[in-house]
Amino acid sequence: MVKSINEMGHALGKKIIAEGVESQAALDQLKSIGVDYAQGYHLGPPLIIEQGLPNLKAHSDRYKHLDIGLSQASS
């Protein structure tokens, strides 16, 4: 189902965000089907933006395999 939704979204020119990623296995599977963005406890707990941006920048090497908009976050 996720693969189909991802393909449909891409066919419509949209970027796809997978929510609820709670394991490396799930992240690996999402990467293999080409999901654009991911969020969930495996990547980090929910944070308010003032807390999240410094953490994201400090650990950017962990997220290089996903297109999560680091260039926008560093502005």
Side-chain angles (χ1 to χ4, degrees):
M1 183 179 287
V2 174
K3 183 178 179 186
S4 296
I5 291 169
N6 185 60
E7 290 171 355
M8 187 181 341
H10 285 162
L12 294 170
K14 305 296 182 185
K15 295 280 187 174
I16 305 303
I17 303 170
E19 298 180 342
V21 179
E22 296 188 8
S23 69
Q24 186 63 45
L27 185 59
D28 291 343
Q29 198 165 26
L30 292 166
K31 283 173 39 180
S32 75
I33 64 172
V35 170
D36 301 296
Y37 301 93
Q39 65 183 44
Y41 280 98
H42 178 67
L43 299 170
L47 301 170
I48 61 172
I49 193 73
E50 291 81 6
Q51 294 172 321
L53 280 179
N55 185 49
L56 181 63
K57 291 176 189 175
H59 296 89
S60 63
D61 59 319
R62 179 176 180 189
Y63 306 106
K64 285 182 182 174
H65 59 282
L66 294 174
D67 174 13
I68 59 171
L70 286 176
S71 60
Q72 295 168 347
S74 63
S75 308

